[in-house]
Amino acid sequence: MSTRRLVSATTANLVVPLSGLLVGPVLSRELGPEGRGLYAALTLPVVVYGWLGTYGLQDALTFHLRHRRISRRDAARVALLATVPLGLLGVLLLAVLGLVLAGETGERHQFLVLTLLAPLHILANLLVGALTGVADVGGVNLAKVVPAVIRTVLLVGVCLAFDPSAFVAGLLFLASMAGGAAVGLRRLRRAPVGEVASGPLPLRSLTRYAAVCLPGVLAAVATARLDQMIGLPLLGARELGFYAVAVSVAELPMVVATAARTVLMGRADGDDPAAALRVARLALPLTLVACVVLATVAGPLVPVVFGAAFAPAVPPTVVLCAATVLYTGGQILGAVLLAHGRAGRSSAALVAGALTGVVALVALAPLGAVGAAVASLLGYAVAVLPAARSVVGLPGVPSLRAVTVPYADDLHFLRDRFHARRRSDVPASVDTGSGAR
């Protein structure tokens, strides 16, 4: 069953980067390299703060729901109440950031308007964390797919009908998260029949666990997206535009890592621990194959899809494909650590990778988009090492291979599932040779 949820979550997560690939070429051709870079600079800090601004509470909700220390409806209440102070803090911090990173006065004013949507992204991510904790993969899928579809329809439609600026495109992109928040609230408040209240809210336990996760959250965001957040002053709008396109292509295989993390950290009645480890073992090689294929076709693909002006985005795309394999390994190992209550070790690994990535980005910034891609590769590599050491010896994890490389039994399992699915797809009316009586 865990493998089926991996496939389901991967398919749903694939909608998000596919949405980016549908919207990306239209925006890139509409805005050009510099406009594309400005669009990334205006929107990415708000999206990133949507992750960072949970301050570890997203993982804390996942853990407490997984171990049934809190009910679904209480989790929804915690998410709504926490969004108010966390959102206000986010608007303030992003406003300060805009004064530092935004160039012209007009860009600063536009960025300040977009920061008002930060609380919406915080709420949506808190709700995704809660849905993950109760193993509601369908709810997690909807919370991601709905805003992706909304933003695709809005942005493509506006670009085809009008001549939008980077600010208007960013406003539509960020506002689409309202769909994810609405879906998340609806799924959580529809508690299953028979669910009992968890008693007094374990606020102290939630706060303590979130505090342990916080360094990891900060480091994960820094490792994955800080390069684009500070890319405008370091790389310039043109190189940032190339890098943003490279990221949008190379992050396609990341959907496997995100799906595996959802399955590994969630809990459903009757789950087999061995099945969860099988999910981890299958995710990494699947990502590796996808990244090899993507790196191979990047040369002709990127200029055709995004336009000839974005041909310089090909080399960073290839580098980031290699980085995606390491990122997937880090996400899987981190999810295993968090599921076993080892949030501190997960945070330590992410902090090490983040520090490496930031230093490398500053040092390699003169190389432009390629330098930023190499910095990401180095950061992911450093993050994987301590996580790999920490995973070995956990209950039910006999070796590193148990969460990274498929066994022969895993391949046999997939083969049997495939044949079983084919047999189930045969229509009942088909003559199987027994003859009609």
Side-chain angles (χ1 to χ4, degrees), residues 132-185:
T132 300
V134 295
D136 185 359
V137 176
V140 174
N141 293 346
L142 284 174
K144 295 178 179 180
V145 168
V146 169
V149 172
I150 291 174
R151 76 175 64 111
T152 301
V153 173
L154 287 177
L155 286 174
V156 172
V158 168
C159 286
L160 292 178
F162 305 100
D163 186 21
S165 64
F167 168 70
V168 171
L171 184 63
L172 295 174
F173 171 79
L174 295 174
S176 66
M177 190 55 73
V183 168
L185 278 174

Short mmCIF file of all heavy atoms in Angstrom, two decimals, residues 132-185:
data_model
loop_
_atom_site.label_atom_id
_atom_site.label_comp_id
_atom_site.label_asym_id
_atom_site.label_seq_id
_atom_site.Cartn_x
_atom_site.Cartn_y
_atom_site.Cartn_z
N THR A 132 -0.20 15.32 6.03
CA THR A 132 0.86 14.31 5.95
C THR A 132 0.87 13.44 7.19
O THR A 132 1.05 12.22 7.11
CB THR A 132 2.23 15.00 5.78
OG1 THR A 132 2.23 15.77 4.57
CG2 THR A 132 3.35 13.97 5.70
N GLY A 133 0.67 14.05 8.35
CA GLY A 133 0.71 13.30 9.60
C GLY A 133 -0.37 12.25 9.72
O GLY A 133 -0.18 11.23 10.39
N VAL A 134 -1.52 12.46 9.09
CA VAL A 134 -2.60 11.47 9.14
C VAL A 134 -2.61 10.60 7.89
O VAL A 134 -3.58 9.88 7.64
CB VAL A 134 -3.97 12.17 9.31
CG1 VAL A 134 -4.05 12.86 10.65
CG2 VAL A 134 -4.25 13.16 8.18
N ALA A 135 -1.53 10.66 7.12
CA ALA A 135 -1.38 9.84 5.91
C ALA A 135 -2.52 10.06 4.92
O ALA A 135 -2.92 9.15 4.20
CB ALA A 135 -1.28 8.35 6.28
N ASP A 136 -3.04 11.29 4.88
CA ASP A 136 -4.07 11.63 3.90
C ASP A 136 -3.38 12.08 2.61
O ASP A 136 -3.31 13.27 2.29
CB ASP A 136 -4.97 12.75 4.45
CG ASP A 136 -6.15 13.06 3.54
OD1 ASP A 136 -6.25 12.41 2.47
OD2 ASP A 136 -6.96 13.93 3.89
N VAL A 137 -2.85 11.09 1.89
CA VAL A 137 -2.11 11.41 0.67
C VAL A 137 -3.01 12.09 -0.34
O VAL A 137 -2.58 13.00 -1.07
CB VAL A 137 -1.50 10.12 0.08
CG1 VAL A 137 -0.81 10.41 -1.25
CG2 VAL A 137 -0.50 9.52 1.05
N GLY A 138 -4.28 11.69 -0.39
CA GLY A 138 -5.21 12.36 -1.31
C GLY A 138 -5.37 13.82 -0.98
O GLY A 138 -5.41 14.67 -1.88
N GLY A 139 -5.46 14.15 0.31
CA GLY A 139 -5.56 15.55 0.71
C GLY A 139 -4.32 16.33 0.38
O GLY A 139 -4.39 17.48 -0.10
N VAL A 140 -3.15 15.75 0.64
CA VAL A 140 -1.88 16.41 0.29
C VAL A 140 -1.82 16.65 -1.21
O VAL A 140 -1.41 17.73 -1.67
CB VAL A 140 -0.69 15.56 0.76
CG1 VAL A 140 0.62 16.17 0.27
CG2 VAL A 140 -0.67 15.45 2.28
N ASN A 141 -2.23 15.64 -1.98
CA ASN A 141 -2.21 15.79 -3.44
C ASN A 141 -3.10 16.94 -3.89
O ASN A 141 -2.69 17.78 -4.71
CB ASN A 141 -2.68 14.49 -4.09
CG ASN A 141 -1.72 13.34 -3.87
OD1 ASN A 141 -0.58 13.54 -3.47
ND2 ASN A 141 -2.19 12.13 -4.12
N LEU A 142 -4.32 17.00 -3.36
CA LEU A 142 -5.24 18.06 -3.76
C LEU A 142 -4.72 19.43 -3.35
O LEU A 142 -4.86 20.41 -4.10
CB LEU A 142 -6.61 17.82 -3.14
CG LEU A 142 -7.47 16.72 -3.78
CD1 LEU A 142 -8.73 16.49 -2.96
CD2 LEU A 142 -7.82 17.09 -5.22
N ALA A 143 -4.12 19.52 -2.15
CA ALA A 143 -3.62 20.81 -1.68
C ALA A 143 -2.49 21.34 -2.55
O ALA A 143 -2.23 22.55 -2.57
CB ALA A 143 -3.13 20.68 -0.23
N LYS A 144 -1.83 20.45 -3.29
CA LYS A 144 -0.77 20.88 -4.20
C LYS A 144 -1.26 21.04 -5.63
O LYS A 144 -0.83 21.95 -6.34
CB LYS A 144 0.38 19.85 -4.15
CG LYS A 144 1.08 19.78 -2.81
CD LYS A 144 2.16 18.73 -2.80
CE LYS A 144 2.87 18.68 -1.45
NZ LYS A 144 3.95 17.67 -1.39
N VAL A 145 -2.17 20.16 -6.04
CA VAL A 145 -2.62 20.17 -7.43
C VAL A 145 -3.55 21.35 -7.71
O VAL A 145 -3.42 22.02 -8.74
CB VAL A 145 -3.33 18.85 -7.77
CG1 VAL A 145 -4.06 18.95 -9.10
CG2 VAL A 145 -2.32 17.71 -7.81
N VAL A 146 -4.47 21.63 -6.78
CA VAL A 146 -5.45 22.69 -7.03
C VAL A 146 -4.80 24.04 -7.30
O VAL A 146 -5.11 24.69 -8.31
CB VAL A 146 -6.46 22.77 -5.86
CG1 VAL A 146 -7.31 24.03 -5.96
CG2 VAL A 146 -7.35 21.53 -5.84
N PRO A 147 -3.88 24.53 -6.42
CA PRO A 147 -3.25 25.82 -6.75
C PRO A 147 -2.40 25.77 -8.01
O PRO A 147 -2.31 26.77 -8.74
CB PRO A 147 -2.41 26.13 -5.51
CG PRO A 147 -2.26 24.85 -4.78
CD PRO A 147 -3.47 24.05 -5.09
N ALA A 148 -1.79 24.61 -8.31
CA ALA A 148 -0.98 24.50 -9.53
C ALA A 148 -1.85 24.66 -10.77
O ALA A 148 -1.48 25.35 -11.74
CB ALA A 148 -0.25 23.16 -9.55
N VAL A 149 -3.02 24.05 -10.76
CA VAL A 149 -3.93 24.16 -11.90
C VAL A 149 -4.46 25.59 -12.02
O VAL A 149 -4.53 26.15 -13.12
CB VAL A 149 -5.10 23.16 -11.74
CG1 VAL A 149 -6.15 23.40 -12.82
CG2 VAL A 149 -4.59 21.73 -11.82
N ILE A 150 -4.80 26.19 -10.87
CA ILE A 150 -5.32 27.57 -10.89
C ILE A 150 -4.28 28.52 -11.48
O ILE A 150 -4.60 29.34 -12.36
CB ILE A 150 -5.71 28.02 -9.47
CG1 ILE A 150 -6.93 27.24 -8.99
CG2 ILE A 150 -5.99 29.52 -9.43
CD1 ILE A 150 -7.31 27.52 -7.55
N ARG A 151 -3.03 28.40 -11.01
CA ARG A 151 -2.01 29.35 -11.50
C ARG A 151 -1.70 29.11 -12.97
O ARG A 151 -1.41 30.07 -13.72
CB ARG A 151 -0.76 29.26 -10.65
CG ARG A 151 0.14 28.07 -10.87
CD ARG A 151 1.40 28.17 -10.06
NE ARG A 151 1.10 28.14 -8.64
CZ ARG A 151 1.41 27.12 -7.83
NH1 ARG A 151 2.02 26.06 -8.33
NH2 ARG A 151 1.12 27.15 -6.56
N THR A 152 -1.77 27.86 -13.42
CA THR A 152 -1.50 27.58 -14.82
C THR A 152 -2.55 28.24 -15.71
O THR A 152 -2.23 28.91 -16.70
CB THR A 152 -1.48 26.07 -15.07
OG1 THR A 152 -0.47 25.46 -14.27
CG2 THR A 152 -1.20 25.76 -16.54
N VAL A 153 -3.81 28.06 -15.36
CA VAL A 153 -4.89 28.63 -16.16
C VAL A 153 -4.81 30.16 -16.16
O VAL A 153 -4.93 30.81 -17.20
CB VAL A 153 -6.26 28.16 -15.61
CG1 VAL A 153 -7.40 28.89 -16.32
CG2 VAL A 153 -6.40 26.65 -15.79
N LEU A 154 -4.60 30.74 -14.97
CA LEU A 154 -4.56 32.20 -14.87
C LEU A 154 -3.38 32.79 -15.64
O LEU A 154 -3.55 33.72 -16.45
CB LEU A 154 -4.48 32.62 -13.40
CG LEU A 154 -5.75 32.45 -12.56
CD1 LEU A 154 -5.47 32.84 -11.12
CD2 LEU A 154 -6.88 33.30 -13.13
N LEU A 155 -2.18 32.26 -15.40
CA LEU A 155 -0.99 32.87 -16.01
C LEU A 155 -0.95 32.67 -17.52
O LEU A 155 -0.64 33.61 -18.26
CB LEU A 155 0.27 32.28 -15.36
CG LEU A 155 0.55 32.77 -13.94
CD1 LEU A 155 1.73 32.03 -13.32
CD2 LEU A 155 0.84 34.27 -13.93
N VAL A 156 -1.25 31.46 -17.98
CA VAL A 156 -1.24 31.24 -19.42
C VAL A 156 -2.32 32.09 -20.09
O VAL A 156 -2.08 32.72 -21.13
CB VAL A 156 -1.44 29.75 -19.73
CG1 VAL A 156 -1.64 29.53 -21.23
CG2 VAL A 156 -0.25 28.93 -19.24
N GLY A 157 -3.51 32.14 -19.49
CA GLY A 157 -4.58 32.94 -20.07
C GLY A 157 -4.25 34.42 -20.14
O GLY A 157 -4.47 35.07 -21.16
N VAL A 158 -3.68 34.95 -19.06
CA VAL A 158 -3.34 36.38 -19.02
C VAL A 158 -2.21 36.70 -20.01
O VAL A 158 -2.25 37.72 -20.69
CB VAL A 158 -2.94 36.79 -17.59
CG1 VAL A 158 -2.29 38.16 -17.58
CG2 VAL A 158 -4.16 36.77 -16.68
N CYS A 159 -1.22 35.81 -20.10
CA CYS A 159 -0.12 36.07 -21.02
C CYS A 159 -0.58 36.02 -22.48
O CYS A 159 -0.06 36.77 -23.32
CB CYS A 159 1.00 35.05 -20.80
SG CYS A 159 1.97 35.32 -19.30
N LEU A 160 -1.52 35.14 -22.78
CA LEU A 160 -2.00 35.05 -24.15
C LEU A 160 -2.93 36.22 -24.51
O LEU A 160 -2.96 36.66 -25.66
CB LEU A 160 -2.74 33.73 -24.36
CG LEU A 160 -1.88 32.46 -24.29
CD1 LEU A 160 -2.75 31.22 -24.46
CD2 LEU A 160 -0.77 32.49 -25.33
N ALA A 161 -3.69 36.72 -23.52
CA ALA A 161 -4.68 37.76 -23.80
C ALA A 161 -4.13 39.17 -23.61
O ALA A 161 -4.59 40.10 -24.26
CB ALA A 161 -5.91 37.56 -22.91
N PHE A 162 -3.16 39.33 -22.71
CA PHE A 162 -2.66 40.66 -22.39
C PHE A 162 -1.13 40.67 -22.46
O PHE A 162 -0.51 39.72 -22.94
CB PHE A 162 -3.12 41.08 -20.99
CG PHE A 162 -4.62 41.01 -20.80
CD1 PHE A 162 -5.21 39.94 -20.15
CD2 PHE A 162 -5.44 42.02 -21.29
CE1 PHE A 162 -6.58 39.86 -19.98
CE2 PHE A 162 -6.81 41.96 -21.13
CZ PHE A 162 -7.40 40.88 -20.47
N ASP A 163 -0.55 41.75 -21.96
CA ASP A 163 0.90 41.89 -21.90
C ASP A 163 1.29 42.18 -20.46
O ASP A 163 1.62 43.31 -20.09
CB ASP A 163 1.35 43.04 -22.82
CG ASP A 163 2.87 43.13 -22.91
OD1 ASP A 163 3.53 42.12 -22.61
OD2 ASP A 163 3.39 44.21 -23.26
N PRO A 164 1.23 41.16 -19.56
CA PRO A 164 1.42 41.42 -18.13
C PRO A 164 2.86 41.74 -17.78
O PRO A 164 3.80 41.31 -18.46
CB PRO A 164 0.99 40.09 -17.49
CG PRO A 164 1.32 39.07 -18.52
CD PRO A 164 1.03 39.73 -19.84
N SER A 165 3.02 42.47 -16.70
CA SER A 165 4.35 42.75 -16.16
C SER A 165 4.75 41.62 -15.23
O SER A 165 3.96 40.73 -14.90
CB SER A 165 4.34 44.07 -15.38
OG SER A 165 3.47 43.96 -14.25
N ALA A 166 6.00 41.64 -14.79
CA ALA A 166 6.48 40.63 -13.84
C ALA A 166 5.69 40.71 -12.53
O ALA A 166 5.41 39.68 -11.89
CB ALA A 166 7.97 40.83 -13.57
N PHE A 167 5.28 41.91 -12.14
CA PHE A 167 4.52 42.09 -10.91
C PHE A 167 3.13 41.45 -11.00
O PHE A 167 2.70 40.72 -10.10
CB PHE A 167 4.38 43.58 -10.59
CG PHE A 167 3.37 43.87 -9.52
CD1 PHE A 167 3.61 43.52 -8.20
CD2 PHE A 167 2.16 44.48 -9.83
CE1 PHE A 167 2.67 43.78 -7.21
CE2 PHE A 167 1.22 44.75 -8.86
CZ PHE A 167 1.48 44.39 -7.54
N VAL A 168 2.42 41.69 -12.10
CA VAL A 168 1.08 41.12 -12.27
C VAL A 168 1.15 39.60 -12.31
O VAL A 168 0.34 38.90 -11.69
CB VAL A 168 0.42 41.67 -13.55
CG1 VAL A 168 -0.87 40.93 -13.85
CG2 VAL A 168 0.16 43.16 -13.40
N ALA A 169 2.14 39.07 -13.03
CA ALA A 169 2.31 37.62 -13.09
C ALA A 169 2.59 37.06 -11.70
O ALA A 169 2.05 36.01 -11.31
CB ALA A 169 3.43 37.26 -14.06
N GLY A 170 3.43 37.75 -10.94
CA GLY A 170 3.74 37.30 -9.59
C GLY A 170 2.55 37.35 -8.67
O GLY A 170 2.37 36.45 -7.82
N LEU A 171 1.69 38.36 -8.82
CA LEU A 171 0.50 38.48 -7.99
C LEU A 171 -0.45 37.31 -8.24
O LEU A 171 -0.99 36.71 -7.30
CB LEU A 171 -0.20 39.81 -8.30
CG LEU A 171 -1.42 40.15 -7.45
CD1 LEU A 171 -1.03 40.31 -5.99
CD2 LEU A 171 -2.08 41.43 -7.96
N LEU A 172 -0.65 36.96 -9.50
CA LEU A 172 -1.51 35.83 -9.83
C LEU A 172 -0.93 34.52 -9.31
O LEU A 172 -1.65 33.66 -8.79
CB LEU A 172 -1.72 35.75 -11.34
CG LEU A 172 -2.47 36.92 -11.99
CD1 LEU A 172 -2.48 36.77 -13.50
CD2 LEU A 172 -3.90 36.99 -11.45
N PHE A 173 0.37 34.37 -9.45
CA PHE A 173 1.04 33.14 -9.01
C PHE A 173 0.88 32.94 -7.50
O PHE A 173 0.50 31.86 -7.04
CB PHE A 173 2.52 33.23 -9.38
CG PHE A 173 3.37 32.13 -8.79
CD1 PHE A 173 3.39 30.87 -9.35
CD2 PHE A 173 4.13 32.37 -7.66
CE1 PHE A 173 4.17 29.86 -8.80
CE2 PHE A 173 4.91 31.37 -7.10
CZ PHE A 173 4.93 30.11 -7.68
N LEU A 174 1.15 33.98 -6.73
CA LEU A 174 1.10 33.85 -5.28
C LEU A 174 -0.32 33.71 -4.76
O LEU A 174 -0.57 32.98 -3.79
CB LEU A 174 1.78 35.06 -4.63
CG LEU A 174 3.29 35.19 -4.89
CD1 LEU A 174 3.82 36.50 -4.32
CD2 LEU A 174 4.04 34.01 -4.30
N ALA A 175 -1.28 34.39 -5.39
CA ALA A 175 -2.67 34.32 -4.92
C ALA A 175 -3.29 32.95 -5.16
O ALA A 175 -4.26 32.57 -4.49
CB ALA A 175 -3.50 35.39 -5.61
N SER A 176 -2.74 32.17 -6.08
CA SER A 176 -3.32 30.86 -6.39
C SER A 176 -3.25 29.90 -5.21
O SER A 176 -3.99 28.90 -5.16
CB SER A 176 -2.61 30.24 -7.59
OG SER A 176 -1.24 29.94 -7.28
N MET A 177 -2.39 30.18 -4.22
CA MET A 177 -2.26 29.29 -3.06
C MET A 177 -3.52 29.27 -2.22
O MET A 177 -3.69 28.38 -1.37
CB MET A 177 -1.06 29.72 -2.21
CG MET A 177 -0.70 28.74 -1.11
SD MET A 177 -0.39 27.06 -1.71
CE MET A 177 1.19 27.28 -2.51
N ALA A 178 -4.43 30.21 -2.43
CA ALA A 178 -5.70 30.20 -1.70
C ALA A 178 -6.45 28.90 -1.93
O ALA A 178 -7.13 28.38 -1.03
CB ALA A 178 -6.56 31.39 -2.12
N GLY A 179 -6.34 28.33 -3.12
CA GLY A 179 -6.99 27.06 -3.40
C GLY A 179 -6.45 25.93 -2.55
O GLY A 179 -7.21 25.09 -2.05
N GLY A 180 -5.13 25.91 -2.35
CA GLY A 180 -4.53 24.87 -1.51
C GLY A 180 -4.95 24.99 -0.06
O GLY A 180 -5.23 23.97 0.60
N ALA A 181 -5.01 26.22 0.45
CA ALA A 181 -5.42 26.43 1.84
C ALA A 181 -6.88 26.00 2.04
O ALA A 181 -7.22 25.37 3.06
CB ALA A 181 -5.22 27.89 2.22
N ALA A 182 -7.73 26.32 1.09
CA ALA A 182 -9.15 25.95 1.21
C ALA A 182 -9.32 24.43 1.22
O ALA A 182 -10.08 23.87 2.02
CB ALA A 182 -9.95 26.56 0.06
N VAL A 183 -8.60 23.75 0.35
CA VAL A 183 -8.68 22.28 0.30
C VAL A 183 -8.17 21.67 1.60
O VAL A 183 -8.77 20.75 2.16
CB VAL A 183 -7.87 21.74 -0.90
CG1 VAL A 183 -7.70 20.23 -0.79
CG2 VAL A 183 -8.57 22.09 -2.21
N GLY A 184 -7.04 22.19 2.10
CA GLY A 184 -6.47 21.65 3.33
C GLY A 184 -7.40 21.78 4.52
O GLY A 184 -7.58 20.83 5.30
N LEU A 185 -8.02 22.93 4.67
CA LEU A 185 -8.94 23.14 5.78
C LEU A 185 -10.15 22.21 5.66
O LEU A 185 -10.61 21.62 6.66
CB LEU A 185 -9.42 24.60 5.80
CG LEU A 185 -8.48 25.61 6.46
CD1 LEU A 185 -9.01 27.02 6.27
CD2 LEU A 185 -8.32 25.29 7.95
#
